[in-house]
Amino acid sequence: MNERRAGATAVAYDPDGHGITVADDAGDVLAGTVRATATDRNDAGVRIAEVSLSTEGGGVTVTPTVENAGDEPVRAGDVTLAFETAFGADARIYRHGYQSWSSTGTLPVGERFPAEDPDNAPMMNDLAASTDDRVSSYLTGLVEGDRSLTVGFLEHDRYCTRFEVDDDADGVAALRAVCPLEGARLTPGERLELPALWVDADRDLRAGVAALADRVGERMDARVPETAPTGWCSWYHYFTDVTEADVRENLAELREWEIPVDVVQIDDGYMEAFGDWRSIADGFEDMSAVADDIATAGYRPGLWLAPFYVESGADLYADHPEWFVTEPTDAGDDGPGTADDDGPGTPVDGGFRAGSALYGLDTTHPAVLEWLRETVSTVVDEWGFTYLKLDFLFAAALPGERYDPEATRIEAYRRGVEAIAEAAGDDTFLLGCGAPMAPSVGLFDAMRVGPDTDPTWETPGESGSQPGLKNAVRNTLARNVLHRRWWLNDPDCQLVRDTSDLTAAEREAFAALVAATGGVNVFSDRLAEIGPAGRRLLERSIPPATDGEVAGLDGERFPSRVVCDRPGDGAATVALFNWADEPSTVRFDAREYGREDGSEADRVVWDGLAGEVVEGPVVERELPPHGAAVFAVVAAETGDLLGDAATLTGGSDRTAEATVRDGTLAATVDGEDVTFALDSQ
């Protein structure tokens, strides 16, 4: 019997029956076995050779090794750690989605996110997994009362790992950790070590997922820039109808407004078709001239493209039908099949967009990799765009046949992104979107973590992956723990114009969420349509906090509290939300966020949205549906309390140290000494 313990987490492995148990101080949490399969009739040849246990990051790692014990070559299938669990009817499950837009959150046992429309399933789901909505990709967590469990794989550069959770209203009957080997060829006697499975039964859910994310980030060399970009994007006002004139109009408005943002990004609409990225659409004449104007105005030129996704009407599809991931052919005994000698196979269905069928490029094909390098070199070196938003990236990871039959879908995906990064150079900022999540660690500076925001709260009847602010909010909260561990999180764009279907409360709540969680902060309205209130809201959401901690991940599908240290003086700031469809009262007690030294020095409560001091220490506030309140606990002698000069979370690079004495606030703003009388302290 092999055993390892880390804190309250104890894991034991019995090599005779390949039995494995996970326990905490209260007893068994999981009990089960490890097994391996093959993709062909040589199934008996694949076996578990050994399972090693070790400790890492306060948890226990379980690392299986498989072996071909037969006399013939064999193609390995799935390696599964199958457990019965001790989690019952009151348990909740953290379900992590496959890619950027896929639904993520903590649900009661027996509940599922709404099923995907079949047309969208190739985009949103891991097509190699089951389709019963019980899958959690890469990691999962279980919690019930004081007992919790976090499990996840630590490396994601080869295999698209998943967890299959068999649960109903009575609890979690089984949990299966699956590492698909996708027909990896093993010669007789050959062994293959799998990615380690990390197990923690000691921490609460958020702390466990955070510790797991730290381990993954370290192993996969996560890219985490020091500061999160801010900027403007064309998409949510112009969509595909954007023109060069529209970009120049908003660029001029930005310069006049002088809001301190970094990037001006042109989105979909500048090219003629998905795949024909260098074929410029009507409305644009010279991409390099537009980029040069953006740079001359003091902003970083940004461009959107979906490098692995090609529509059926594109010239690229007609010219190179052999460049695509294709449907599997009969593999026989030797493994994955290849395209017929008479021509390319049938492309794998990659979903539909605006009525067009789309397909994924085979990024193991040398000619495809060279085309990617040439395309990105044109965009970066010739046109001058050094901020790239790369979208619909799942297309390179679609299951199917490829030029290199030995490459897994994740290896193929990473080859494609690595080719892009090589051509883009170290000075280009890469933002991923629509991407397989864990397999993207180490490849991107920032990553979209939820669906498109859209200028509406929700569309009834649609799945949780579809555009809508509600869906973007849920994933931003549920994946906040990945921020600054895997990359910078991108919650998607703020929309503050009052001509959309979003209420003023919804616009304020998303601004507060973006500012408090600290990710990429981009807005996407036509500037001429943003009124004074919208401009003030944007100004005060920039810069965002460095990071924020979402409280309640283990108990709420939509956690309602985010705590961060505000820029400027580091004072504790709390954003409170009402995600319900009816008004609700929230309560804030400043005494829970006092000074670290425990002193009773004078403090005031700062209302970040109103931009004023409010009477404390306890504040109760009725919030409208989908509304927010932001409060900071500020020591009076050092507080930065200037309304329009302060951000939503409290700090400001315009304000020097401020002091409060005898009801008067004194500070320096833009080099000038100013004083304010305060009504309440």
Side-chain angles (χ1 to χ4, degrees):
M1 181 73 73
N2 187 5
E3 298 182 4
R4 286 291 185 277
R5 173 178 286 273
T9 307
V11 179
Y13 173 67
D14 178 4
D16 293 334
H18 301 301
I20 189 165
T21 59
V22 179
D24 58 15
D25 288 341
D28 288 350
V29 176
L30 301 176
T33 58
V34 187
R35 59 183 174 84
T37 62
T39 62
D40 59 20
R41 62 172 174 263
N42 293 324
D43 185 76
V46 181
R47 70 179 185 91
I48 301 296
E50 63 177 325
V51 174
S52 64
L53 304 179
S54 62
T55 59
E56 179 176 340
V60 178
T61 62
V62 181
T63 307
T65 296
V66 297
E67 178 184 40
N68 178 7
D71 299 326
E72 301 290 336
V74 66
R75 294 282 178 175
D78 294 347
V79 175
T80 302
L81 288 79
F83 302 100
E84 296 178 349
T85 90
F87 289 88
D90 294 328
R92 299 179 68 88
I93 303 168
Y94 179 74
R95 300 182 186 272
H96 188 272
Y98 164 62
Q99 59 110 309
S100 299
W101 311 320
S102 305
S103 300
T104 297
T106 307
L107 305 181
V109 290
E111 288 195 17
R112 307 282 185 272
F113 289 113
E116 295 292 343
D117 183 287
D119 285 346
N120 295 325
M123 301 186 190
M124 309 304 175
N125 294 342
D126 175 3
L127 296 183
S130 62
T131 58
D132 63 359
D133 301 315
R134 298 186 177 193
V135 171
S136 183
S137 293
Y138 322 118
L139 70 150
T140 192
L142 308 177
V143 59
E144 186 175 31
D146 295 333
R147 170 171 278 184
S148 62
L149 174 74
T150 306
V151 289
F153 289 91
L154 293 182
E155 294 175 341
H156 303 274
D157 54 356
R158 291 183 293 167
Y159 307 115
C160 192
T161 59
R162 65 183 185 268
F163 293 84
E164 297 171 349
V165 188
D166 289 347
D167 66 297
D168 56 26
D170 294 327
V172 182
L175 174 68
R176 292 181 294 278
V178 183
C179 182
L181 301 186
E182 299 184 28
R185 187 177 188 274
L186 299 178
T187 59
E190 184 177 0
R191 290 188 170 193
L192 177 64
E193 183 178 282
L194 275 59
L197 179 74
W198 188 84
V199 183
D200 179 78
D202 199 10
R203 301 171 175 91
D204 63 32
L205 178 62
R206 188 188 189 282
V209 175
L212 170 63
D214 283 333
R215 305 282 75 71
V216 173
E218 290 174 5
R219 287 194 177 214
M220 298 185 67
D221 297 322
R223 293 167 53 166
V224 184
E226 183 176 349
T227 58
T230 58
W232 178 84
C233 165
S234 64
W235 177 246
Y236 286 105
H237 178 85
Y238 299 99
F239 296 96
T240 57
D241 293 329
V242 66
T243 67
E244 191 172 315
D246 296 326
V247 176
R248 296 182 190 281
E249 174 199 307
N250 285 277
L251 183 60
E253 290 270 0
L254 272 176
R255 294 187 66 185
E256 182 177 347
W257 183 5
E258 296 184 333
I259 185 172
V261 298
D262 310 316
V263 176
V264 170
Q265 183 227 308
I266 302 170
D267 215 279
D268 188 1
Y270 67 90
M271 74 295 172
E272 291 188 341
F274 272 56
D276 298 338
W277 306 108
R278 289 172 279 180
S279 181
I280 305 307
D282 292 341
F284 284 85
E285 295 182 3
D286 188 338
M287 297 300 291
S288 61
V290 178
D292 185 63
D293 285 350
I294 293 171
T296 301
Y299 306 102
R300 188 171 195 170
L303 192 68
W304 170 96
L305 63 160
F308 306 142
Y309 216 26
V310 180
E311 62 182 282
S312 56
D315 290 342
L316 187 71
Y317 181 76
D319 293 343
H320 297 285
E322 75 280 10
W323 280 10
F324 296 89
V325 181
T326 58
E327 294 289 350
T329 57
D330 184 11
D333 292 341
D334 294 326
T338 56
D340 191 287
D341 291 340
D342 294 333
T346 302
V348 170
D349 175 13
F352 292 84
R353 185 177 184 275
S356 295
L358 292 115
Y359 308 112
L361 284 172
D362 175 3
T363 49
T364 71
H365 198 299
V368 170
L369 295 176
E370 184 58 29
W371 176 85
L372 286 169
R373 294 187 188 99
E374 292 174 355
T375 299
V376 173
S377 180
T378 297
V379 168
V380 175
D381 299 328
E382 296 182 23
W383 292 355
F385 292 93
T386 59
Y387 176 99
L388 301 184
K389 177 183 174 182
L390 306 177
D391 208 348
F392 293 91
L393 294 173
F394 68 87
L398 289 166
E401 303 294 350
R402 289 176 165 80
Y403 179 89
D404 180 355
E406 300 302 326
T408 68
R409 46 194 288 231
I410 297 306
E411 287 173 329
Y413 166 69
R414 289 180 64 91
R415 286 184 200 178
V417 179
E418 287 166 354
I420 289 171
E422 176 188 348
D426 293 339
D427 294 333
T428 299
F429 189 97
L430 298 183
L431 166 64
C433 187
M437 295 294 285
S440 298
V441 178
L443 301 177
F444 292 94
D445 300 293
M447 178 62 66
R448 267 279 292 281
V449 293
D452 287 10
T453 55
D454 215 45
T456 185
W457 175 248
E458 67 176 325
T459 302
E462 287 194 340
S463 75
S465 68
Q466 294 304 295
L469 185 57
K470 179 179 180 180
N471 291 336
V473 163
R474 182 202 60 244
N475 271 34
T476 298
L477 293 163
R479 284 178 168 159
N480 168 255
V481 71
L482 305 180
H483 180 56
R484 295 196 173 276
R485 291 184 169 90
W486 288 5
W487 43 55
L488 300 176
N489 278 5
D490 173 22
D492 203 16
C493 299
Q494 287 197 61
L495 304 176
V496 299
R497 65 184 185 265
D498 57 14
T499 55
S500 76
D501 291 334
L502 297 173
T503 67
E506 290 162 354
R507 299 193 294 270
E508 286 187 346
F510 196 60
L513 181 61
V514 171
T517 53
V520 175
N521 190 352
V522 174
F523 60 97
S524 189
D525 297 299
R526 181 185 177 214
L527 270 71
E529 295 188 13
I530 304 177
R535 292 199 173 202
R536 181 172 180 269
L537 187 61
L538 285 175
E539 290 169 348
R540 300 184 65 240
S541 72
I542 296 172
T546 301
D547 198 1
E549 181 172 324
V550 174
L553 182 64
D554 57 352
E556 301 176 82
R557 189 179 310 196
F558 285 82
S560 57
R561 181 178 296 247
V562 179
V563 181
C564 65
D565 292 336
R566 70 182 194 156
D569 65 1
T573 299
V574 181
L576 303 171
F577 301 94
N578 170 30
W579 303 121
D581 295 332
E582 57 277 331
S584 179
T585 298
V586 297
R587 186 178 187 273
F588 172 75
D589 189 341
R591 294 168 296 188
E592 298 176 8
Y593 304 93
R595 296 165 62 98
E596 290 186 2
D597 60 11
S599 69
E600 295 299 324
D602 291 340
R603 293 189 296 272
V604 293
V605 178
W606 178 250
D607 185 328
L609 282 168
E612 62 186 14
V613 175
V614 295
E615 186 173 355
V618 177
V619 182
E620 291 191 350
R621 180 73 54 81
E622 182 176 88
L623 299 181
H626 320 147
V630 181
F631 300 111
V633 183
V634 180
E637 69 272 18
T638 59
D640 170 3
L641 302 173
L642 300 180
D644 288 335
T647 67
L648 288 176
T649 53
S652 173
D653 56 8
R654 294 180 54 202
T655 309
E657 182 175 288
T659 60
V660 177
R661 287 289 183 271
D662 300 324
T664 300
L665 169 71
T668 301
V669 181
D670 291 340
E672 297 184 8
D673 293 332
V674 294
T675 59
F676 295 91
L678 303 178
D679 294 332
S680 60
Q681 299 181 61

